[in-house]
Each structure stands twice: as C-alpha cells, then as structure tokens.
Amino acid sequence: MSEAPEALVLDELSAGNSGSGGGWKDFVAGSLAGAAQVRMQVEKAGMFKGPVDCLLKTVKNEGVLGLYKGMASPLVGIAAVNSLLFWAYSYGKTLQTGSPNITPTMGQIALAGAGAGVVNSVLASPVELLKVRLQVQYNAAARGAEVFRGPVPLARHLVQQFGARGIAWGFWATVAREIPAYAAFYSGFEFAKRRFADLLTDGDASKLSPLPLMLSGSLGGVSYWVACYPLDVIKSRVQNGSAPPRRMGYIAETAKNIMAEQGVKGFFRGFSPSVIRSIPAAGVTFATYELVMRALNNNLM
C-alpha cells in the first residue's frame, strides 16, 4: 500500500532539509582545492606542472585566500542546490517504489540519482558558471581584462552583455555531467552502505554509526568524479569561453578541441585534487544527510 500524500511530502521536505545541512559541511570540507581543479582544467598544458604546483603558485601569487577565490557563489547557493538535489533524489526514489519505506533496487537508485542531477542543473549551472569565471581571474588584470570582485557584479555583467544566455551559459554541459555523476554518486553510497549494514548491523542500515556512513559517502564522492570527470572538464572549458555557445553541438566541439590540444590527458587535468577533496566532502555530506534524516523521521513518528 502506498503512503499517504502528507507522509510523502514530509519525507521529501526532510530530505531537502537534510541535504542542505550536508551541503554546508561539504563546502567546508571540500572547497580548498576548488580553484586548483578549475585552473588545471581550463589552462593550457605547461602552465602548471601538476596540482601541487598549481596550489603553490596560487598561494605565492595570491595568498592563501586565493585558494578560496570564487567560493562566494557556491557559499550563497550551496543550501539551495543541495536541498533541491536531495529532494529530487528522494522524490525520484518514491516515484519508483510508491513509498519511502520500500527499499529501492540499485537500478532505481541510479535512475533517481540521474533524474536528480537533471533537476539540480537548474541551480548548479549558474552557480558553477560564476565560480569558474571568478576562479580563473588570477591573470585577468595583467591581460587588461575586467576583474570582478564577486558573483553579483559578474552576474550583472553577464546578463547585461549576453542577456539570459549569459547566466545560462553551459547549462546543457552541466546537464550532461550531472546525469552520470549523480547516478554514480548515490549508487556508490548506497552500495557501500548496504555492504556495511550486512557486515555490521545484520542488514539494518538505520543502525550504522557515523564512521561507516562517512566511508560510504566517500565512495559515493569518488564514484561521482570517476563517472563524470571528462564531462566536468568540458563544462569548465565551455563556461570559461569568450561567449555563450549558440549551437547544441558545443559539447562535442569542445571535446574535439581538448583532444586536439592535449590528447586524452586533457580530459583528466585536475582529476587527483577533485577525487582527494571529494573523500572528506562527500563523506561528511552523506553522514550528515543520513543522521539528520534519522532525527527528523524520529521526531515525526
């Protein structure tokens, strides 16, 4: 028998609130290497010898705060983005099972994650557009380009120059990344969580302690980047272009350009800092999500 409508609504709202809390922990735990990741992705080969060289040059030229350049955009949007993401994921599972109390299959988990990725792109795309363009401003002044002090002046400039396309810049590249990324993100987490539950709590995942939840979340984070990293490089390249693309084939065109310039390696520049920072970030996010969901569900019962 399916759940009452009000019960389903409460479950989705709980998921959204839990995702918001997890998102803030994700931001704190995982934002350090964000600038290095994006700079490695968009710059030509040879500018940085590797992630460590990129970090050292950033600190040398811009100070420690240079590592957090562009973080104002996700700082402002992280709660909304993660609330939408986890709400859409929870709703996607319920649509398939008919009840939040029925355990979905791994296939249903992956499908719900992919759908959540599509929905999440509506907010994630503009947030990441502003972040990417702010993070690569380190030599803008030297080139005579305009330097923006934060996401609001940059957003205003993009809209004035390009209209609505300016803030939707790279939306379909974001969608293309989010579909496999969040299918793998949630599948990796659920797979590990269920294995830990079989080993530690006789199959009852609700009794898992924070440590196995964090380890499960870390696997989800690594799975996220393994599934989508080349698409993330393409998205960053697109969003750091000179103008918003007008044709739908821009994703394939950008991929061809990367391949021609740097070969296969070009699709994995900045991969190691992304994976490394995802381990604590996703671990904390999922552990927070699960623990907050438990607390909310217990209060509602």
Side-chain angles (χ1 to χ4, degrees), residues 84-279:
L84 179 63
L85 174 67
F86 277 85
W87 171 84
Y89 169 64
S90 180
Y91 187 67
K93 289 189 298 180
T94 303
L95 278 179
Q96 296 177 84
T97 62
S99 169
N101 296 322
I102 296 176
T103 301
T105 66
M106 291 304 300
Q108 290 172 329
I109 290 289
L111 186 58
V118 174
V119 175
N120 186 59
S121 298
V122 174
L123 292 181
S125 181
V127 166
E128 294 204 11
L129 167 67
L130 299 175
K131 182 190 74 170
V132 166
R133 296 190 71 84
L134 288 170
Q135 285 178 333
V136 296
Q137 288 191 118
Y138 54 97
N139 60 353
R143 300 194 314 267
E146 187 173 359
V147 176
F148 299 95
R149 299 298 180 184
V152 174
L154 176 56
R156 186 183 303 117
H157 168 78
L158 293 175
V159 172
Q160 289 173 347
Q161 188 170 10
F162 301 108
R165 288 192 309 124
I167 207 66
W169 194 330
F171 172 76
W172 291 111
T174 304
V175 172
R177 182 198 67 176
E178 301 287 69
I179 291 174
Y182 283 110
F185 186 62
Y186 289 108
S187 295
F189 169 70
E190 278 294 329
F191 174 81
K193 185 179 76 170
R194 294 178 187 188
R195 297 293 80 76
F196 276 123
D198 290 339
L199 289 171
L200 302 175
T201 58
D202 294 325
D204 188 352
S206 66
K207 294 181 180 179
L208 286 174
S209 65
L211 180 58
L213 291 175
M214 290 184 69
L215 292 174
S216 300
S218 295
L219 179 61
V222 172
S223 299
Y224 175 100
W225 287 117
V226 170
C228 80
Y229 197 78
L231 291 167
D232 187 64
V233 174
I234 293 171
K235 181 198 71 69
S236 293
R237 284 289 197 97
V238 169
Q239 292 184 325
N240 191 50
S242 58
R246 290 182 176 274
R247 297 178 307 210
M248 285 298 294
Y250 70 82
I251 297 175
E253 184 178 336
T254 304
K256 290 179 181 178
N257 292 337
I258 295 172
M259 188 68 182
E261 294 171 8
Q262 302 176 19
V264 175
K265 290 183 179 180
F267 293 99
F268 294 93
R269 287 175 57 82
F271 179 71
S272 55
S274 301
V275 171
I276 291 170
R277 75 189 182 100
S278 76
I279 294 174

Side-chain angles (χ1 to χ4, degrees), residues 4-63:
E6 59 270 21
L8 297 181
V9 171
L10 287 173
D11 184 73
E12 315 315 337
L13 290 175
S14 297
N17 291 332
S18 303
S20 174
W24 284 103
K25 310 301 187 300
D26 182 349
F27 176 84
V28 173
S31 62
L32 178 62
Q37 172 195 338
V38 171
R39 291 177 179 186
M40 290 287 292
Q41 288 178 337
V42 303
E43 291 299 339
K44 294 181 179 180
M47 183 165 186
F48 301 114
K49 297 177 182 179
V52 175
D53 181 53
C54 182
L55 288 170
L56 292 176
K57 286 182 177 178
T58 298
V59 173
K60 179 181 178 181
N61 296 326
E62 305 170 58

Side-chain angles (χ1 to χ4, degrees), residues 278-296:
S278 76
I279 294 174
V284 171
T285 294
F286 270 114
T288 302
Y289 168 75
E290 287 285 324
L291 295 174
V292 172
M293 280 292 290
R294 287 183 196 176
L296 291 174

